[in-house]
Amino acid sequence: MRKFLLAASVAMTSLMTVSMAQAADEVKVLLDWFVNPDHGPLIIAQEKGYFADAGLDVEIIAPADPSAPPKLVAAGQADLAVSYQPQLHLQVSEGLPLARVGTLVATPLSCLLVLKDGPIKTPADLKGKKIGYSVAGVEEALLGTVLNTHGVKLDDVELINVNFSLSPALMSGQVDAVIGAFRNFELNQMDIENEPGRCFYLEEEGVPAYDELIYVANAETMDKAMLAKFMKATELATQYIINNPKESWELFSGTSKELQNELNRRAWLDTIPRFALRPAAFDAGRYQAFQSFLMKSGLVKEEQPVSKLAVDVSAK
């Protein structure tokens, strides 16, 4: 009996050790904003159990301050943050230990937005007009490039900070255009309110293509193996969304009553084609081209190696 009890005790201890070894890795992810269709793969990966299947215990947190997540990751207070490629270039140049480790939305969403039936037919018509913006720096560089393509200088327009109230400022006549509006949201919002808008797409107006939403991690402390599993789970979620747009919308919107409205439903359908099909992969040339654009604009003073900006965590 003693031998039996001893053997049972050893077996139980062994099982407990294995269980502890197989405990899920905890991952804290900070969003760039409140939960919305842009975050579809994250929410679907959580709801479908793809994170759990990968051995990950993922906590998704909406920030109180949208500018804080990358800084918190740099300070070691979270594992990942959803951020923006343009901001990454600036933050790395400022010395923050950040690197892109995955892509969420692989195309620009930002656009130069005007009233569809208004007097602005091309960006050339904006000379002498008022343009609203939310974030100084990058948005001014993007706007300046679009305007220059049409023979207008940034000094030829009046810039007004509308503090993220982009479409209301445009619809109320406070400004003649806004830069930084998201084509999958503001266009739908204006259409729903019977004030249709029109986007001038930055990547068609002289701005190099870039990844709108990316995952950034601490370049010095990141766990590549864990991040590779995370990206694989979001890849599975993206595949599910693309293959099952209606079912995935129902699953996504079912997580919160705030998501269950016409604006989010339309935005969901408009965002699906823009999700990164291979979240871990990145185009080094694209990052180099956008860095050159920022250097030409004077926003980045020193060139960084692409390897310092972006990492493929799935590479062996």
Side-chain angles (χ1 to χ4, degrees):
M1 178 62 73
R2 287 181 179 178
K3 289 182 179 179
F4 174 79
L5 291 174
L6 179 59
S9 177
V10 171
M12 182 62 71
T13 300
S14 177
L15 285 171
M16 290 175 63
T17 302
V18 171
S19 177
M20 291 175 64
Q22 294 178 343
D25 290 328
E26 294 184 358
V27 186
K28 182 181 290 186
V29 183
L30 304 178
L31 302 181
D32 59 308
W33 199 246
F34 53 84
V35 175
N36 63 71
D38 292 342
H39 308 126
L42 276 162
I43 305 303
I44 294 300
Q46 189 83 293
E47 294 299 307
K48 291 287 290 182
Y50 297 141
F51 286 141
D53 291 345
L56 303 176
D57 179 9
V58 177
E59 182 182 9
I60 301 171
I61 303 170
D65 176 3
S67 68
K71 300 172 187 175
L72 294 174
V73 168
Q77 296 182 37
D79 301 288
L80 285 170
V82 174
S83 190
Y84 308 84
Q85 183 189 335
Q87 274 66 34
L88 171 69
H89 290 270
L90 302 185
Q91 289 160 348
V92 171
S93 72
E94 293 166 358
L96 287 181
L98 295 171
R100 170 263 176 222
V101 294
T103 303
L104 176 54
V105 174
T107 74
L109 292 177
S110 182
C111 72
L112 177 62
L113 180 63
V114 300
L115 294 174
K116 184 177 181 179
D117 298 323
I120 308 302
K121 305 305 180 184
T122 78
D125 298 328
L126 286 168
K127 187 172 183 178
K129 304 297 185 181
K130 298 177 181 179
I131 302 178
Y133 72 97
S134 299
V135 182
V138 171
E139 287 187 356
E140 291 177 68
L142 300 176
L143 174 61
T145 299
V146 174
L147 293 177
N148 285 336
T149 302
H150 293 268
V152 180
K153 297 179 180 179
L154 200 56
D155 291 341
D156 293 332
V157 301
E158 180 182 353
L159 296 176
I160 298 177
N161 190 333
V162 297
N163 195 29
F164 294 101
S165 184
L166 294 169
S167 52
L170 178 59
M171 290 187 290
S172 67
Q174 180 184 352
V175 294
D176 302 288
V178 291
I179 184 70
F182 272 16
R183 61 194 70 174
N184 56 338
F185 274 92
E186 271 80 6
L187 275 180
N188 284 311
Q189 182 181 35
M190 293 178 68
D191 188 62
I192 289 171
E193 297 187 24
N194 295 316
E195 288 279 1
R198 175 189 176 187
C199 265
F200 297 108
Y201 301 114
L202 305 183
E203 66 275 24
E204 296 179 1
E205 300 290 347
V207 176
Y210 60 90
D211 299 333
E212 188 69 58
L213 291 178
I214 58 175
Y215 302 100
V216 297
N218 188 305
E220 299 170 352
T221 62
M222 71 172 72
D223 181 342
K224 288 186 179 180
M226 178 272 287
L227 293 173
K229 292 190 291 184
F230 181 95
M231 296 308 156
K232 183 61 179 178
T234 61
E235 182 176 329
L236 291 173
T238 302
Q239 291 172 358
Y240 178 80
I241 290 170
I242 290 172
N243 291 335
N244 305 276
K246 183 176 182 295
E247 293 83 354
S248 59
W249 159 248
E250 292 173 352
L251 185 60
F252 173 80
S253 61
T255 62
S256 171
K257 283 189 176 181
E258 285 75 16
L259 296 171
Q260 297 168 15
N261 57 44
E262 180 65 11
L263 174 57
N264 281 302
R265 187 191 68 79
R266 291 193 190 189
W268 179 261
L269 295 175
D270 284 348
T271 310
I272 288 176
R274 302 184 180 278
F275 289 133
L277 296 176
R278 299 168 59 214
F282 80 99
D283 183 338
R286 190 182 217 187
Y287 275 70
Q288 182 62 60
F290 201 79
Q291 177 174 239
S292 298
F293 165 74
L294 292 176
M295 290 186 68
K296 184 177 180 181
S297 300
L299 293 176
V300 171
K301 304 300 182 184
E302 183 179 350
E303 184 172 359
Q304 303 288 342
V306 172
S307 59
K308 189 174 180 180
L309 295 167
V311 177
D312 183 348
V313 295
S314 66
K316 302 298 183 182

